Amino acid sequence: MFESEEYKYSEANFSLNYRFKVINLTDFHLFVNTELFNLRFYNEKFSIIDSADPSNNEKINRTGSELNFPVSFGAGIAYRITPNGFLTLSYNDVVSIMEDSNGEFPVDITLGYKFKI
């Protein structure tokens, strides 16, 4: 996530994922994907304005990192469109064993292209 003019926040995520193929045909794959852990780096800049004296504000720059073990699951498909490539569509992080959903349902959909090497 990149910083914008309106909101001074940037974030980088790195994760270890694994894909279990349920159906593994030549031209079609159905898989379950899992995210084992993720490492997040973030940087946020904001100001706290004193309501009694608006000219008195405090600028805060918060940076840090966080290691999580969500053990989350999703599903997806891959369909061969070229001799060495697949079009992929996946719905990620539908269920997590280690993280609370806070009563919200995730929407993490990925459309991509997978090269066969």
Side-chain angles (χ1 to χ4, degrees):
M1 183 181 305
F2 298 105
E3 185 175 302
S4 70
E5 288 296 322
E6 296 85 27
Y7 191 55
K8 303 293 184 190
Y9 181 82
S10 61
E11 181 177 312
N13 283 296
F14 300 96
S15 63
L16 178 64
N17 301 293
Y18 191 76
R19 187 178 283 184
F20 302 95
K21 291 182 181 173
V22 178
I23 297 175
N24 190 13
L25 303 175
T26 305
D27 294 333
F28 179 78
H29 302 164
L30 176 67
F31 54 86
V32 173
N33 56 14
T34 182
E35 181 179 5
L36 302 173
F37 74 85
N38 63 40
L39 179 60
R40 179 174 81 105
F41 298 97
Y42 59 91
N43 183 15
E44 181 177 29
K45 300 173 188 170
F46 59 94
S47 298
I48 298 176
I49 300 171
D50 186 358
S51 60
D53 182 10
S55 64
N56 182 19
N57 59 17
E58 180 182 357
K59 294 188 184 289
I60 295 176
N61 186 10
R62 191 181 309 171
T63 61
S65 62
E66 191 174 86
L67 179 63
N68 293 316
F69 296 90
V71 189
S72 62
F73 297 93
I77 59 171
Y79 183 74
R80 182 186 304 271
I81 58 173
T82 66
N84 293 320
F86 291 82
L87 182 65
T88 63
L89 177 65
S90 62
Y91 189 15
N92 308 305
D93 304 329
V94 177
V95 176
S96 176
I97 295 173
M98 303 298 286
E99 289 187 344
D100 185 20
S101 68
N102 296 327
E104 298 176 2
F105 198 76
V107 178
D108 184 0
I109 298 171
T110 305
L111 177 65
Y113 184 79
K114 180 178 104 173
F115 295 97
K116 184 177 178 185
I117 299 176

Short mmCIF file of all heavy atoms in Angstrom, two decimals, residues 10 24 32 39 44 48 51 55 57 59 63 66 70-71 74 76-77 82 84-85 88-89 108-109 113-115:
data_model
loop_
_atom_site.label_atom_id
_atom_site.label_comp_id
_atom_site.label_asym_id
_atom_site.label_seq_id
_atom_site.Cartn_x
_atom_site.Cartn_y
_atom_site.Cartn_z
N SER A 10 1.76 4.01 4.56
CA SER A 10 2.30 3.05 3.60
C SER A 10 2.55 1.74 4.32
O SER A 10 2.81 1.71 5.53
CB SER A 10 3.59 3.57 2.96
OG SER A 10 4.58 3.78 3.93
N ASN A 24 -5.96 -31.73 -10.32
CA ASN A 24 -4.74 -31.36 -11.06
C ASN A 24 -4.78 -31.98 -12.45
O ASN A 24 -4.12 -32.96 -12.73
CB ASN A 24 -3.52 -31.83 -10.27
CG ASN A 24 -2.23 -31.27 -10.84
OD1 ASN A 24 -2.25 -30.37 -11.66
ND2 ASN A 24 -1.11 -31.83 -10.42
N VAL A 32 -6.67 -25.32 -2.96
CA VAL A 32 -6.89 -24.65 -1.68
C VAL A 32 -5.57 -23.98 -1.34
O VAL A 32 -4.51 -24.62 -1.39
CB VAL A 32 -7.27 -25.66 -0.57
CG1 VAL A 32 -7.34 -24.98 0.78
CG2 VAL A 32 -8.59 -26.34 -0.91
N LEU A 39 4.61 -11.02 7.35
CA LEU A 39 5.43 -10.00 7.99
C LEU A 39 5.02 -8.67 7.39
O LEU A 39 5.00 -8.52 6.16
CB LEU A 39 6.92 -10.29 7.72
CG LEU A 39 7.93 -9.31 8.27
CD1 LEU A 39 7.84 -9.21 9.79
CD2 LEU A 39 9.33 -9.73 7.85
N GLU A 44 3.21 5.43 9.24
CA GLU A 44 2.02 6.28 9.29
C GLU A 44 2.39 7.64 9.85
O GLU A 44 3.08 7.74 10.85
CB GLU A 44 0.97 5.61 10.17
CG GLU A 44 -0.32 6.34 10.29
CD GLU A 44 -1.33 5.57 11.12
OE1 GLU A 44 -0.94 4.80 12.00
OE2 GLU A 44 -2.53 5.79 10.88
N ILE A 48 -2.24 15.31 15.66
CA ILE A 48 -3.28 15.41 16.68
C ILE A 48 -3.46 16.89 16.96
O ILE A 48 -2.52 17.58 17.36
CB ILE A 48 -2.90 14.65 17.96
CG1 ILE A 48 -2.75 13.17 17.66
CG2 ILE A 48 -3.93 14.89 19.04
CD1 ILE A 48 -2.29 12.34 18.82
N SER A 51 -8.28 20.65 20.35
CA SER A 51 -9.55 21.34 20.05
C SER A 51 -9.64 22.70 20.75
O SER A 51 -10.30 23.60 20.25
CB SER A 51 -10.74 20.46 20.44
OG SER A 51 -10.71 20.19 21.83
N SER A 55 -4.09 25.86 16.77
CA SER A 55 -2.72 26.12 16.32
C SER A 55 -1.72 25.18 17.01
O SER A 55 -0.60 25.04 16.55
CB SER A 55 -2.33 27.57 16.57
OG SER A 55 -2.32 27.83 17.96
N ASN A 57 -0.73 21.66 17.51
CA ASN A 57 -0.93 20.29 17.05
C ASN A 57 0.36 19.50 17.19
O ASN A 57 1.45 20.05 17.17
CB ASN A 57 -1.49 20.23 15.63
CG ASN A 57 -0.59 20.89 14.61
OD1 ASN A 57 0.58 21.14 14.88
ND2 ASN A 57 -1.12 21.19 13.45
N LYS A 59 2.62 16.42 15.66
CA LYS A 59 2.84 15.56 14.51
C LYS A 59 3.44 14.25 14.99
O LYS A 59 4.40 14.23 15.75
CB LYS A 59 3.77 16.23 13.51
CG LYS A 59 3.15 17.46 12.89
CD LYS A 59 4.02 17.99 11.77
CE LYS A 59 3.48 19.26 11.21
NZ LYS A 59 2.29 19.13 10.43
N THR A 63 6.17 4.13 12.94
CA THR A 63 6.69 3.08 12.06
C THR A 63 6.86 1.80 12.87
O THR A 63 7.03 1.85 14.09
CB THR A 63 8.04 3.47 11.43
OG1 THR A 63 8.98 3.67 12.48
CG2 THR A 63 7.93 4.71 10.59
N GLU A 66 5.40 -6.13 12.15
CA GLU A 66 4.54 -7.05 12.86
C GLU A 66 4.62 -8.42 12.19
O GLU A 66 4.53 -8.53 10.97
CB GLU A 66 3.12 -6.51 12.77
CG GLU A 66 2.11 -7.14 13.62
CD GLU A 66 0.78 -6.39 13.51
OE1 GLU A 66 0.02 -6.71 12.57
OE2 GLU A 66 0.54 -5.49 14.32
N PRO A 70 -1.47 -16.22 10.75
CA PRO A 70 -2.92 -16.32 10.62
C PRO A 70 -3.42 -17.73 10.30
O PRO A 70 -4.53 -18.09 10.64
CB PRO A 70 -3.25 -15.38 9.47
CG PRO A 70 -2.01 -15.35 8.66
CD PRO A 70 -0.89 -15.50 9.64
N VAL A 71 -2.60 -18.54 9.63
CA VAL A 71 -2.99 -19.86 9.13
C VAL A 71 -4.40 -19.75 8.52
O VAL A 71 -5.37 -20.27 9.05
CB VAL A 71 -2.91 -20.94 10.22
CG1 VAL A 71 -3.11 -22.31 9.60
CG2 VAL A 71 -1.60 -20.88 10.98
N GLY A 74 -8.10 -20.34 1.67
CA GLY A 74 -8.94 -19.85 0.59
C GLY A 74 -8.98 -20.90 -0.50
O GLY A 74 -8.49 -22.02 -0.33
N GLY A 76 -9.13 -21.52 -5.11
CA GLY A 76 -8.95 -20.89 -6.40
C GLY A 76 -8.90 -21.89 -7.54
O GLY A 76 -8.91 -23.10 -7.32
N ILE A 77 -8.85 -21.34 -8.74
CA ILE A 77 -8.76 -22.15 -9.94
C ILE A 77 -7.67 -21.58 -10.84
O ILE A 77 -7.32 -20.40 -10.76
CB ILE A 77 -10.10 -22.19 -10.73
CG1 ILE A 77 -10.53 -20.78 -11.13
CG2 ILE A 77 -11.17 -22.89 -9.95
CD1 ILE A 77 -11.71 -20.75 -12.08
N THR A 82 -2.37 -20.57 -22.45
CA THR A 82 -1.26 -20.67 -23.39
C THR A 82 -0.51 -21.97 -23.07
O THR A 82 -0.72 -22.54 -21.99
CB THR A 82 -0.29 -19.46 -23.29
OG1 THR A 82 0.35 -19.48 -22.02
CG2 THR A 82 -1.01 -18.15 -23.50
N ASN A 84 2.35 -22.39 -21.93
CA ASN A 84 3.16 -22.25 -20.71
C ASN A 84 2.56 -21.31 -19.69
O ASN A 84 3.27 -20.78 -18.84
CB ASN A 84 4.57 -21.78 -21.06
CG ASN A 84 5.35 -22.81 -21.83
OD1 ASN A 84 5.26 -24.00 -21.53
ND2 ASN A 84 6.08 -22.38 -22.83
N GLY A 85 1.24 -21.07 -19.73
CA GLY A 85 0.67 -20.13 -18.78
C GLY A 85 -0.77 -20.43 -18.44
O GLY A 85 -1.54 -20.98 -19.23
N THR A 88 -5.31 -17.40 -13.43
CA THR A 88 -5.69 -17.85 -12.09
C THR A 88 -6.68 -16.88 -11.46
O THR A 88 -6.62 -15.67 -11.69
CB THR A 88 -4.46 -17.99 -11.16
OG1 THR A 88 -3.86 -16.70 -11.00
CG2 THR A 88 -3.45 -18.96 -11.72
N LEU A 89 -7.58 -17.43 -10.68
CA LEU A 89 -8.54 -16.65 -9.90
C LEU A 89 -8.63 -17.31 -8.54
O LEU A 89 -8.87 -18.52 -8.44
CB LEU A 89 -9.90 -16.63 -10.58
CG LEU A 89 -11.02 -15.90 -9.84
CD1 LEU A 89 -10.71 -14.41 -9.74
CD2 LEU A 89 -12.35 -16.12 -10.53
N ASP A 108 -10.89 -10.76 -0.37
CA ASP A 108 -9.53 -10.75 -0.89
C ASP A 108 -9.50 -11.65 -2.13
O ASP A 108 -9.31 -12.85 -2.04
CB ASP A 108 -8.54 -11.24 0.17
CG ASP A 108 -7.10 -11.16 -0.30
OD1 ASP A 108 -6.85 -10.72 -1.44
OD2 ASP A 108 -6.21 -11.54 0.48
N ILE A 109 -9.75 -11.05 -3.28
CA ILE A 109 -9.82 -11.79 -4.54
C ILE A 109 -8.60 -11.43 -5.38
O ILE A 109 -8.23 -10.26 -5.49
CB ILE A 109 -11.12 -11.44 -5.30
CG1 ILE A 109 -12.32 -11.84 -4.45
CG2 ILE A 109 -11.16 -12.12 -6.65
CD1 ILE A 109 -13.64 -11.36 -4.98
N TYR A 113 -1.77 -14.33 -13.54
CA TYR A 113 -1.26 -15.17 -14.61
C TYR A 113 -0.09 -15.95 -14.03
O TYR A 113 0.84 -15.37 -13.46
CB TYR A 113 -0.81 -14.31 -15.79
CG TYR A 113 -0.35 -15.13 -16.98
CD1 TYR A 113 -1.28 -15.70 -17.84
CD2 TYR A 113 0.99 -15.31 -17.24
CE1 TYR A 113 -0.88 -16.45 -18.93
CE2 TYR A 113 1.41 -16.05 -18.33
CZ TYR A 113 0.47 -16.63 -19.17
OH TYR A 113 0.86 -17.36 -20.23
N LYS A 114 -0.11 -17.28 -14.19
CA LYS A 114 0.95 -18.15 -13.66
C LYS A 114 1.75 -18.70 -14.83
O LYS A 114 1.20 -19.25 -15.77
CB LYS A 114 0.32 -19.29 -12.87
CG LYS A 114 1.34 -20.24 -12.27
CD LYS A 114 0.63 -21.30 -11.46
CE LYS A 114 0.63 -22.58 -12.25
NZ LYS A 114 0.14 -23.73 -11.54
N PHE A 115 3.08 -18.51 -14.78
CA PHE A 115 3.98 -19.03 -15.80
C PHE A 115 4.40 -20.44 -15.44
O PHE A 115 4.71 -20.73 -14.28
CB PHE A 115 5.25 -18.17 -15.89
CG PHE A 115 5.00 -16.79 -16.36
CD1 PHE A 115 4.87 -15.75 -15.45
CD2 PHE A 115 4.89 -16.52 -17.71
CE1 PHE A 115 4.66 -14.47 -15.88
CE2 PHE A 115 4.68 -15.22 -18.15
CZ PHE A 115 4.55 -14.20 -17.23
#
